[in-house]
Structures are given as structure tokens and as C-alpha cells.
Amino acid sequence: MSDWLYSDTVKDHFMNPRNVLTEDEASWPCDGRGIVGNIKCGDQMLILIRVKDGMIRDCRWKTYGCASAIASTSILSEAIKGMKLEDAYKLKPQDIVSKLGGLPDNKLHCSVLGDKALRAAIDDYLAKNGLPSLKGTEAKEVVCHCLNITDKDLEEAFKSGAVTWEAWQERTKIGTACGECKKRALELLHEFEHLYG
């Protein structure tokens, strides 16, 4: 059962989460709001940000989820304070997992909620203020090197109804060359099920 061990950092952020939204959302005025996840799958995350001069000045959050989801959001909320919007938008789940000192493989999907909720909050802020979108600047992971298929390609396929490995193959042709991408693609499929249901 050593795969289930959490780092001291994860335990600390789970037991003593930082920047949690303790009051009603309306009583903490924010500049941007992002919510992602699917409560039916057990994980949903809300992130609120305050922005000044193109930088995140403060953050509050609420997460409905497991210890990994709570710890991931807590450490993310600390990391983004003082960060430029452009840099915060490019944060990857791997960045969060690294700050936590790792997560068990079966809990890695919990770290993807934070960066997506943060991007949604930044998108909300930019739209409300008539500023140019940052969509497309976030980091992309090439999952299938043979066909240059990225995690974003798979996410778009999932959101438009391709919610199985077979449907992904039909839509994107992933795994039809060497097949070495299947393991990572199935991990992403699991993550997207948690995000979008």
C-alpha cells in the first residue's frame, strides 16, 4: 500500500488548507470566478481571484473532493499570489504535483482541477474587463507523438462527445500507429470524466 502514501506537504495542506473561502462567496468580492469539475464524480472546485496591475493579488477557493484535491488547491492558492496572469494561466498539473512533493498515481487527476479552475477565473476576469483572451497559451502535452495529438485535442474530443478510448480513436486516430500513448491517454480519459462527467 505504499502507493497510497502522501507527502508531508500534502498532509499539511489537507489538514491546514490555506486561503479557503470560509464565508459566503458574495461576501468576498472578486475580480474573476472559475468553477470546474463534476460533483457527481466527487470533485468540484471554485476559485476566486483578485487582480491588480495584471497580477493575482489574492485568491480564495472551495473544493468538494478528496485530500489530494484539497491539498492541490491549497498549494495552488499560495503559489499564484503575486503571479502575472500570463504565467498563472500556463500552470500545469505537474507544477502543482511537484510543489506537493508528488501524489499517488490514482490521485493525479485531482491536481488537474486547480489549473483548470484558475484558467476559468482568469478567463472570467479578462472577459469582464474587455481584455484579450489567453486561451491557447496554456501548456500542451503531446500524448501521441506519432500523430502529434495533444491533451487539448483529446479534451476537445471528450467535450464534443467522444468519451471512450474507441471514440477517441475514431475521432483523432490516437493509438493507431505505435500504440505507446494508450496508457497516458486512458489516464487523461479518467481525468476528463472527473472534470466533465
Side-chain angles (χ1 to χ4, degrees):
M1 286 298 246
S2 63
D3 289 345
W4 285 87
L5 293 178
Y6 288 111
S7 71
D8 289 340
T9 305
V10 172
K11 291 175 193 172
D12 179 37
H13 278 271
F14 171 62
M15 299 301 291
N16 307 293
R18 282 68 151 181
N19 306 306
V20 176
L21 180 65
T22 55
E23 60 271 3
D24 180 84
E25 182 182 338
S27 65
W28 199 82
C30 65
D31 300 311
R33 178 186 190 274
I35 188 166
V36 298
N38 184 340
I39 210 154
K40 292 177 191 169
C41 293
D43 295 305
Q44 189 173 54
M45 187 174 296
L46 166 72
I47 289 188
L48 307 173
I49 57 172
R50 289 183 181 158
V51 179
K52 185 173 182 184
D53 300 326
M55 296 181 85
I56 297 174
R57 297 298 179 191
D58 206 354
C59 172
R60 292 290 181 274
W61 60 273
K62 277 189 179 180
T63 292
Y64 179 82
C66 66
S68 297
I70 290 167
S72 295
T73 318
S74 175
I75 205 159
L76 173 70
S77 72
E78 284 193 322
I80 62 174
K81 288 183 184 181
M83 192 176 278
K84 290 181 180 179
L85 290 174
E86 294 83 2
D87 296 333
Y89 205 84
K90 293 176 185 174
L91 280 174
K92 303 181 298 280
Q94 297 89 333
D95 299 329
I96 299 165
V97 170
S98 176
K99 288 180 184 303
L100 287 170
L103 283 174
D105 287 345
N106 63 331
K107 291 296 182 177
L108 288 175
H109 68 273
C110 301
S111 67
V112 303
L113 289 173
D115 71 303
K116 293 192 183 311
L118 174 60
R119 274 196 291 280
I122 293 170
D123 288 338
D124 182 52
Y125 167 76
L126 295 172
K128 284 178 181 173
N129 290 279
L131 297 169
S133 173
L134 292 172
K135 286 184 180 175
T137 65
E138 65 272 21
K140 295 177 185 170
E141 172 191 353
V142 176
V143 179
C144 175
H145 291 276
C146 297
L147 301 174
N148 199 33
I149 298 168
T150 69
D151 58 335
K152 301 301 174 206
D153 299 324
L154 297 175
E155 184 174 14
E156 288 308 312
F158 188 96
K159 286 167 37 178
S160 49
V163 297
T164 65
W165 169 252
E166 293 77 18
W168 273 0
Q169 283 192 300
E170 191 175 305
R171 175 96 31 104
T172 69
K173 306 302 180 214
I174 191 166
T176 57
C178 78
E180 288 186 22
C181 57
K182 185 172 183 178
K183 180 178 185 269
R184 177 63 184 135
L186 291 176
E187 290 170 355
L188 286 169
L189 183 63
H190 182 68
E191 291 174 10
F192 297 151
E193 287 168 351
H194 277 269
L195 279 170
Y196 306 114

